[in-house]
């Protein structure tokens, strides 16, 4: 386990303990930081940890730290139902509440008013550049995007992007802190809607969703193709189930709202799944059913291939 710490960061507050907030909190706690987590729902953290465990099982992949360490990390996260208690000694705050600009701006103003002046404020938003949020605070030069993927299932990449006023020191501290928690920073050189790898992943998602919604192919065949071509345990539709289809829908909608391009509009069929409560791993049904999704079965790919003639 690494014990390098960013010089000025020892207390980290996570605001929003859903799928991603919970995973960021555990990853951070595993590397020796004091982590406070606040969510408006008292059960959020425990539920999200259960979902992360289900995603690990289905995807056959665990965190970058040994699993015992990860389990210890869960116990180290201090859960609080008082936002102020989470924030009052924070050196770094990571917001991971739903993907809604007005909500995030409101919460940033609250965070700003409850957090020591020197603290860095980050959003884990999947699409919203910090430049759209920073002026809700009195410290825009200390705000940045830190966009995590799924550290619990081994994806320890983090996009890191500055706003219009972010100082170089804050970018450097952010990058150094990311490496100190066993993650790989992907600094973005100029503002980019979708950041770095998330933008690449997004183009895959858009095409895969359109092909499914237009009835061009069975979504399972896209996953089979992906898993075979890239040697992964899960394909794009399985990954969207891990992310949560409500989150996927909100993210796709953000891209559409930005571009107004009809090809960016998330399919109605995806919206209908969200309305039916088919959100993926967290509700037990999405494109696949959980805890034993079809893509994890031994014959998911081999079942499509004829046997060798003797
Ligand atoms: N799911 C992913 O794969 C993923 C990946 C990267 C980034 N993100 C981003 O992270 C953010 C959170 O996504 P998620 O998937 O964890 O969502 P989620 O729905 O699982 O969790 C959001 C959490 O925020 C809590 N919340 C709502 N309003 C709140 C408030 N006012 N104060 C405190 N807590 C509040 C909810 O109770 C919930 O637990 C979004 O911006 C999303 O775009 C998600």
């Amino acid at each position: 386990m690494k014990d390098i710490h960013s010089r000025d960061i020892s207390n980290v507050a996570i605001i929003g303990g859903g799928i991603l907030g919970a995973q960021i909190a555990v990853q951070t706690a595993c590397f020796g930081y004091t982590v406070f987590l606040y969510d408006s729902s008292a059960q959020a953290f425990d539920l999200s940890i259960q979902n992360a465990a289900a995603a690990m099982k289905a995807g056959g992949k665990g965190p970058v730290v040994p699993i015992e360490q990860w389990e210890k990390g869960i116990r180290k996260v201090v859960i609080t139902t008082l936002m102020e208690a989470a924030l009052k000694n924070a050196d770094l705050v990571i917001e991971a509440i739903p993907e809604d600009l007005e909500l995030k701006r409101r919460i940033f103003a609250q965070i700003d008013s409850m957090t020591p002046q020197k603290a860095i404020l980050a959003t884990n938003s999947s699409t919203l550049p910090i430049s759209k949020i920073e002026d809700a605070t009195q410290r825009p030069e200390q705000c940045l995007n830190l966009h995590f993927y799924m550290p619990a299932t081994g994806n320890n990449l983090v996009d890191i992007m500055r706003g219009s006023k972010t100082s170089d020191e804050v970018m450097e501290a952010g990058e150094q802190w990311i490496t100190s928690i066993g993650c790989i920073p992907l600094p973005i050189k100029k503002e980019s809607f979708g950041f770095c790898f998330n933008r690449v992943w997004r183009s895959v998602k858009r095409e895969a969703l359109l092909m499914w919604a237009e009835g061009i192919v069975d979504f399972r065949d896209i996953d089979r193709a992906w898993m075979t071509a890239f040697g992964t345990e899960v394909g794009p539709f399985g990954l969207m189930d891990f992310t949560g289809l409500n989150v996927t829908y909100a993210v796709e909608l953000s891209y559409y709202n930005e571009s107004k391009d009809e090809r960016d509009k998330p399919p109605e069929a995806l919206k209908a799944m969200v309305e039916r409560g088919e959100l993926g791993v967290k509700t037990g049904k999405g494109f696949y059913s959980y805890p034993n999704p079809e893509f994890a079965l031994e014959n998911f790919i081999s079942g499509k291939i004829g046997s060798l003639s003797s």
Side-chain angles (χ1 to χ4, degrees):
M1 192 99 341
K2 284 186 198 170
D3 64 351
I4 31 163
H5 276 196
S6 301
R7 216 172 308 147
D8 298 315
I9 300 175
S10 48
N11 293 321
V12 179
I14 310 292
I15 304 299
I19 297 274
L20 251 286
Q23 292 189 34
I24 298 167
V26 175
Q27 180 79 16
T28 304
C30 285
F31 286 84
Y33 290 93
T34 302
V35 183
F36 283 87
L37 180 140
Y38 164 76
D39 193 292
S40 48
S41 153
Q43 297 80 31
F45 180 76
D46 288 347
L47 277 175
S48 300
I49 293 299
Q50 282 172 28
N51 288 331
M56 285 179 197
K57 183 170 172 264
K61 216 163 166 207
V64 281
V65 295
I67 193 70
E68 312 76 54
Q69 212 67 43
W70 192 76
E71 282 162 358
K72 268 192 203 160
I74 295 172
R75 294 191 290 276
K76 286 183 189 161
V77 176
V78 183
I79 312 292
T80 170
T81 48
L82 293 174
M83 191 170 169
E84 200 157 7
L87 293 171
K88 67 178 182 201
N89 294 317
D91 303 307
L92 167 67
V93 182
I94 301 177
E95 164 276 309
I97 65 168
E99 191 75 345
D100 173 324
L101 178 60
E102 284 319 309
L103 181 62
K104 286 192 192 282
R105 285 182 59 85
R106 275 204 306 279
I107 215 92
F108 257 73
Q110 279 178 274
I111 292 171
D112 187 43
S113 69
M114 295 179 188
T115 308
Q117 197 46 51
K118 65 178 174 35
I120 295 174
L121 312 185
T123 177
N124 183 53
S125 169
S126 299
T127 58
L128 302 166
I130 191 69
S131 61
K132 293 197 174 175
I133 304 174
E134 62 191 17
D135 66 349
T137 77
Q138 304 295 317
R139 60 181 99 183
E141 65 293 340
Q142 285 162 237
C143 294
L144 77 171
N145 285 96
L146 290 180
H147 172 256
F148 287 75
Y149 291 76
M150 288 271 187
T153 53
N155 189 340
N156 57 341
L157 299 172
V158 183
D159 292 312
I160 163 165
M161 191 169 84
R162 67 193 326 144
S164 69
K165 300 200 172 70
T166 316
S167 71
D168 291 345
E169 290 72 21
V170 165
M171 284 297 283
E172 276 160 30
E175 205 172 323
Q176 191 191 346
W177 180 75
I178 291 298
T179 60
S180 81
I181 60 161
C183 290
I184 302 167
L186 303 173
I188 287 110
K189 292 182 181 170
K190 58 182 187 181
E191 188 170 294
S192 150
F193 204 79
F195 320 126
C196 172
F197 186 65
N198 203 38
R199 187 163 153 179
V200 175
W201 163 230
R202 194 269 151 162
S203 61
V204 172
K205 257 185 317 182
R206 184 181 78 157
E207 289 311 310
L209 284 167
L210 279 177
M211 288 167 76
W212 159 70
E214 290 172 3
I216 294 169
V217 285
D218 186 320
F219 70 85
R220 295 172 196 83
D221 285 325
I222 293 181
D223 277 2
R224 283 190 184 97
W226 187 276
M227 290 158 73
T228 304
F230 300 115
T232 59
E233 302 291 329
V234 54
F237 289 91
L239 281 172
M240 286 187 255
D241 275 356
F242 290 178
T243 299
L245 299 187
N246 55 334
V247 175
T248 301
Y249 182 77
V251 167
E252 296 307 294
L253 200 57
S254 282
Y255 281 104
Y256 172 62
N257 288 338
E258 181 71 13
S259 74
K260 299 285 185 255
D261 177 343
E262 284 303 304
R263 296 275 303 169
D264 283 339
K265 197 171 186 177
E268 284 300 313
L270 179 65
K271 187 176 178 196
M273 286 177 81
V274 173
E275 285 168 356
R276 287 198 298 272
E278 294 171 12
L279 307 185
V281 176
K282 59 184 160 191
T283 57
K285 175 148 181 50
F287 286 104
Y288 298 93
S289 297
Y290 297 86
N292 298 308
E294 201 181 333
F295 68 76
L297 298 178
E298 225 173 288
N299 67 354
F300 182 62
I301 292 172
S302 63
K304 281 237 150 179
I305 312 170
S307 31
L308 269 181
S309 55
S310 48

